[in-house]
Amino acid sequence: MDVTQVFGKNVFSDSVMRKVLPNNVYKSLKETVEKGIELKADVADVVANAMKDWAIEKGATHYTHWFQPLTGSTAEKHDSFIEPSADGTVIMKFSGKQLIKGEPDASSFPSGGLRATFEARGYTAWDTTSPAFLKEDASGDVTLCIPTAFCSYTSDALDKKTPLLRSMEAVSKHAMRIMNAMGNTATKRITSTVGPEQEYFLVDKDLFDKRLDLMLAGRTLFGATPPKGQEMEDQYFGAIKDRVLDFMKDLNAELWKMGVSSKTQHNEVAPAQYEMAPVFATTNIGADHNQLVMETMKKVALRHGLVCLLHEKPYAGINGSGKHLNWSLATDDGMNLLDPGNTPHDNAQFLVFLSALIKAVDENADMLRRSAANSGNDHRLGANEAPPAIISIFLGDELTHILEAIEKGEKASSKGSNFIKIGVDALPALPKDNTDRNRTSPFAFTGNKFEFRMVGSAASVSGSCVVLNMIAADAFDGIATRLEKAKDINKETTSIVKEIMKKHGRVIFNGNNYSDEWVKDAKKRGLPNIKSTVDALQTLTSDKSIKMFEKHAILSKRELHARYDIYLEQYAKQINIEALTALDMVKSQYLPAVMEFVAQLAGDISTLKDISVSTKVQSELLNKSISLMESASKKVFDLEKNLEKAQGISDVSKQAKAYRDKVFTAMGSLREDIDSLEAITPRDLWPVPTYADLLFKL
Ligand code: ADP
Ligand code: MG
């Protein structure tokens, strides 16, 4: 494969547009993309027509507005280009109007009450900043996909893209103010960037099909601990199996065609777990691409007789999957604002942005935590495999040392072999490569970007990007105002850094985030430790949250309340599905299997008794099986009772709490008995594949 030829071949990219669009149309569209100037109708018509011709030449018959409703996945409704003519034939047509706006019936998407059922119309609006692309399926069918935002008749956002675009504007605006106040006139635009590292599991499709829990809940609800797990540490970065490599090869090819820059692939820590990382992009395109990554992983896996599991915790007792969100800010003239740089001038700028982020994260740790909350992630956060639910920042010794020196007003500091001068006026030359790594930190500075490591593997990255952009914008806003008024920029810069370190230095922690001592230490520091999704979601509609979202025009109070309801409902629904699936499996698979075993044993015992042979072993096993079965039956009843109660609660918040405290707990207790039964029941009678099968038969 000639990757350079394949890459982006299905993208209506800048270079394609330059080729197929008349010069004035191309320029006009570019202005819309870069300056947000409204697109003229005649320009849209020309673009639409060119897009259609390009797509048809590549085999497309249909187009779709591609959007990201609050389900967390993507949605598409395909329309063909055909338009009947009077003579009974058809022509292929695509107008500017069709490109710019769609009107899907939105009544079946989550709206949290924003869209009354009598006004079921929703609107999709073309996002000109994310290029249109073609999706190809296995049989070669091609569909033109137009990335769009999705809102209600009353213009409330019903999707993940709209707030993301708004947050990008906010962060850009206030970051620019800082740049201007610090004397930078060359930079015209700033964009937030993201590179999400995607973890996932693969499992054999035939085995997957035998597990109702994997099929319906995305995770195993039962399964005894296998003799081997991840303790040999032989999986991480290990040689990749041929079957998996074949899958990765196909996955890359599909992603590259759509312009997704899949770059890194490797085995992850758990058996049958892998990771893929792209080259970073602007947060908007990065978020679109991550959705494509997840979707394409699932699709391509099936072509290889595999199923891709994106759930945060498919298997108990084994590492789950997350998504490390690498985030930074880029300027249109090629700067990375989180790159320490070489000169004191760059460094003043860097230190201002860095300390602004320290302030932002400390003040809004609850919001950041909330952005990573979902029922799947509750299994990971704080479970010694993923960062704890406590947000802290890892800066590495060197940067921490420098910031602390500034805080204390020290003029110079030496550390290691590099002598770092810290002047009050001229800030120091900083180490360019911060090679320190701390794998346990939820928010780590990794050289020239921050890595937010809490996000779940199945989640859309948009929510966390929105919060990162917004809290950054908010901190930048306050600092910009000070700098704009300052008579002496250097002095003001130094005092800003100093003040932030005094007030927010508590959020910096370079030690082991998995340790119990840290949990205690963090408590002393006053850092929040929000353990569950239900609690985390409460911060979405807190006064602070509403004020900030509204101030930066990212989401209104109405929109936030709608999201709060939707996310809590999703949480409750997920656990409801899990509970029903668990009950189904126990009643129709596990208990009948154990009953069969019990009957077999009883038969054996009576036969053996006839010939006066000892039945000690069989009797013990029989008694153990029966007592576990009785216990499990009681727990089935218990789970059913709790489930019914939870289902009857109408207040979303109370209902979600009941699912967490009662239903989830009852499910876990039932699992214990079933897993114990698995350990003593003959393999050929056990009705579903075991953990060893699922994790090692690949
Ligand atoms: P590691 O696992 O060591 O952190 P990886 O190479 O797996 O490193 O992933 C790093 C990710 O960070 C990649 O997706 C990369 O594109 C992304 N990244 C690098 N620079 C930036 C940046 N300036 N902004 C956002 N993401 C970035
Ligand atoms: Mg990585």
Side-chain angles (χ1 to χ4, degrees):
M1 186 194 333
D2 181 348
V3 181
T4 58
Q5 291 300 308
V6 169
F7 191 84
K9 95 182 193 19
N10 285 347
V11 184
F12 196 66
S13 62
D14 193 65
S15 66
V16 173
M17 286 194 276
R18 206 184 308 225
K19 225 185 289 160
V20 301
L21 296 176
N23 205 17
N24 58 330
V25 171
Y26 171 77
K27 271 197 185 142
S28 178
L29 181 62
K30 266 304 234 202
E31 276 204 331
T32 301
V33 174
E34 281 169 10
K35 298 183 190 147
I37 294 167
E38 206 179 323
L39 194 68
K40 290 190 208 86
D42 52 335
V43 172
D45 273 331
V46 179
V47 177
N49 196 50
M51 209 185 258
K52 175 209 70 186
D53 288 344
W54 169 81
I56 288 176
E57 201 189 290
K58 290 179 172 287
T61 50
H62 287 69
Y63 72 92
T64 180
H65 278 192
W66 184 73
F67 57 102
Q68 298 165 28
L70 294 170
T71 53
S73 48
T74 57
E76 44 192 78
K77 183 187 91 184
H78 297 190
D79 276 302
S80 69
F81 293 116
I82 63 165
E83 191 163 294
S85 323
D87 62 358
T89 60
V90 291
I91 53 162
M92 299 299 258
K93 217 181 145 200
F94 187 45
S95 70
K97 243 169 98 186
Q98 288 168 313
L99 166 64
I100 291 175
K101 194 167 125 188
E103 280 188 36
D105 177 353
S107 53
S108 296
F109 292 109
S111 77
L114 280 179
R115 187 201 48 240
T117 25
F118 60 83
E119 192 38 271
R121 240 179 318 167
Y123 292 104
T124 47
W126 182 27
D127 168 17
T128 53
T129 63
S130 183
F133 59 93
L134 302 173
K135 252 200 230 175
E136 271 175 40
D137 72 7
S139 63
D141 282 344
V142 179
T143 307
L144 170 65
C145 296
I146 299 144
T148 55
F150 179 47
C151 65
S152 74
Y153 181 67
T154 48
S155 335
D156 291 309
L158 294 177
D159 69 346
K160 303 245 172 194
K161 187 188 267 285
T162 306
L164 181 57
L165 293 172
R166 293 174 183 161
S167 74
M168 287 174 74
E169 270 182 34
V171 74
S172 176
K173 176 174 149 194
H174 296 296
M176 273 308 299
R177 284 178 55 212
I178 292 185
M179 298 289 272
N180 290 337
M182 294 187 84
N184 177 315
T185 48
T187 299
K188 297 281 172 270
R189 265 182 321 123
I190 289 170
T191 44
S192 53
T193 53
V194 71
E197 302 167 41
Q198 177 72 48
E199 291 181 340
Y200 61 98
F201 280 86
L202 291 174
V203 62
D204 187 273
K205 171 88 165 65
D206 290 336
L207 299 171
F208 170 90
D209 285 342
K210 296 192 176 102
R211 297 279 316 211
L212 194 69
D213 47 4
L214 282 180
M215 277 166 67
L216 301 186
R219 72 178 181 101
T220 52
L221 300 169
F222 303 96
T225 310
K228 185 184 176 193
Q230 63 191 46
E231 66 276 38
M232 298 301 286
E233 295 166 336
D234 53 355
Q235 162 78 2
Y236 190 59
F237 281 14
I240 304 171
K241 285 181 184 164
D242 282 355
R243 186 178 181 191
V244 175
L245 258 184
D246 273 351
F247 155 79
M248 288 176 171
K249 209 168 99 189
D250 250 16
L251 172 69
N252 286 334
E254 291 303 325
L255 290 174
W256 287 336
K257 278 193 252 176
M258 294 186 287
V260 180
S261 51
S262 172
K263 170 109 176 133
T264 310
Q265 60 196 27
H266 60 80
N267 284 0
E268 255 304 326
V269 170
Q273 190 188 28
Y274 311 91
E275 181 184 293
M276 171 273 178
V279 176
F280 68 95
T282 64
T283 44
N284 175 29
I285 293 175
D288 280 359
H289 281 181
N290 185 249
Q291 294 295 143
L292 281 178
V293 165
M294 292 194 284
E295 188 182 311
T296 311
M297 278 179 170
K298 285 190 190 161
K299 259 197 199 174
V300 173
L302 288 175
R303 294 183 202 163
H304 292 260
L306 297 164
V307 175
C308 170
L309 304 177
L310 291 175
H311 193 283
E312 284 79 10
K313 193 75 178 176
Y315 306 104
I318 278 175
N319 273 18
S321 301
K323 194 137 47 186
H324 290 178
L325 220 65
N326 296 272
W327 178 91
S328 190
L329 293 164
T331 70
D332 61 336
D333 53 340
M335 255 189 289
N336 175 353
L337 294 184
L338 292 183
D339 192 330
N342 293 321
T343 65
H345 174 79
D346 288 342
N347 288 334
Q349 182 184 298
F350 167 74
L351 287 172
V352 166
F353 281 109
L354 181 71
S355 39
L357 289 167
I358 292 170
K359 174 175 159 35
V361 171
D362 185 41
E363 280 180 348
N364 305 295
D366 54 346
M367 289 205 223
L368 213 44
R369 160 71 181 93
R370 191 276 304 156
S371 78
N374 65 27
S375 72
N377 229 6
D378 278 4
H379 297 272
R380 292 176 67 237
L381 300 181
N384 283 5
E385 58 170 78
I390 306 162
I391 300 252
S392 64
I393 300 179
F394 167 82
L395 282 185
D397 290 341
E398 229 148 6
L399 275 181
T400 308
H401 191 74
I402 289 166
L403 288 173
E404 282 172 352
I406 297 176
E407 181 188 351
K408 288 184 210 131
E410 282 168 14
K411 287 229 167 195
S413 159
S414 66
K415 175 124 177 42
S417 53
N418 302 348
F419 188 74
I420 298 162
K421 270 195 178 319
I422 297 185
V424 177
D425 306 313
L427 286 154
L430 298 176
K432 200 169 169 55
D433 190 13
N434 182 320
T435 44
D436 290 4
R437 279 295 170 109
N438 179 325
R439 292 264 152 212
T440 67
S441 175
F443 202 80
F445 185 72
T446 46
N448 57 6
K449 58 187 159 63
F450 272 106
E451 194 169 333
F452 181 42
R453 300 193 176 125
M454 262 189 185
V455 184
S457 48
S460 154
V461 300
S462 297
S464 290
C465 289
V466 167
V467 172
L468 279 169
N469 288 346
M470 177 180 70
I471 64 176
D474 200 61
F476 295 168
D477 182 16
I479 289 170
T481 306
R482 281 181 66 172
L483 291 175
E484 280 159 0
K485 286 186 199 143
K487 292 207 183 68
D488 181 334
I489 285 286
N490 277 338
K491 255 199 193 137
E492 188 67 354
T493 302
T494 312
S495 41
I496 287 170
V497 176
K498 231 185 201 169
E499 281 167 40
I500 288 178
M501 279 305 288
K502 277 217 166 71
K503 208 163 159 204
H504 303 289
R506 64 173 189 168
V507 78
I508 299 169
F509 178 62
N510 294 327
N512 179 8
N513 286 254
Y514 293 175
S515 70
D516 295 333
E517 293 78 64
W518 168 234
V519 177
K520 284 182 217 140
D521 183 2
K523 197 171 173 186
K524 264 191 239 146
R525 297 185 189 202
L527 304 179
N529 183 1
I530 308 171
K531 290 196 180 116
S532 80
T533 294
V534 181
D535 294 333
L537 284 175
Q538 306 304 322
T539 68
L540 191 58
T541 47
S542 68
D543 289 345
K544 179 179 78 174
S545 165
I546 291 172
K547 212 171 132 199
M548 198 184 292
F549 271 101
E550 290 206 320
K551 175 178 161 198
H552 298 288
I554 293 168
L555 287 170
S556 68
K557 186 175 175 181
R558 259 162 67 84
E559 290 169 322
L560 285 168
H561 274 281
R563 270 158 217 253
Y564 171 80
D565 282 357
I566 290 169
Y567 296 152
L568 276 175
E569 263 174 33
Q570 275 166 356
Y571 175 87
K573 282 178 185 165
Q574 178 62 28
I575 297 186
N576 192 58
I577 292 170
E578 290 182 0
L580 290 172
T581 306
L583 288 168
D584 185 308
M585 288 175 80
V586 172
K587 290 199 275 192
S588 70
Q589 292 189 293
Y590 293 130
L591 290 183
V594 178
M595 284 172 198
E596 195 180 334
F597 180 42
V598 163
Q600 256 182 32
L601 278 173
D604 289 354
I605 289 169
S606 90
T607 313
L608 291 171
K609 274 197 176 142
D610 284 348
I611 53 169
S612 308
V613 173
S614 161
T615 59
K616 192 166 169 278
V617 175
Q618 284 89 340
S619 298
E620 270 172 18
L621 205 50
L622 181 66
N623 286 333
K624 203 169 170 193
S625 298
I626 289 179
S627 88
L628 280 169
M629 200 163 58
E630 281 172 354
S631 166
S633 299
K634 240 196 272 155
K635 289 177 181 176
V636 163
F637 180 69
D638 209 41
L639 178 54
E640 281 174 335
K641 223 174 49 196
N642 280 304
L643 185 59
E644 202 180 319
K645 256 197 216 154
Q647 285 167 341
I649 301 174
S650 54
D651 177 276
V652 273
S653 178
K654 284 195 186 117
Q655 185 184 47
K657 277 194 185 118
Y659 273 103
R660 178 192 65 189
D661 299 335
K662 305 286 180 191
V663 179
F664 186 79
T665 319
M667 231 174 9
S669 175
L670 173 59
R671 176 183 184 144
E672 281 170 21
D673 290 343
I674 300 298
D675 289 357
S676 303
L677 281 165
E678 182 184 328
I680 56 171
T681 307
R683 190 61 27 89
D684 61 330
L685 290 182
W686 200 246
V688 300
T690 64
Y691 265 30
D693 296 331
L694 297 168
L695 289 165
F696 294 98
K697 277 191 188 166
L698 204 67

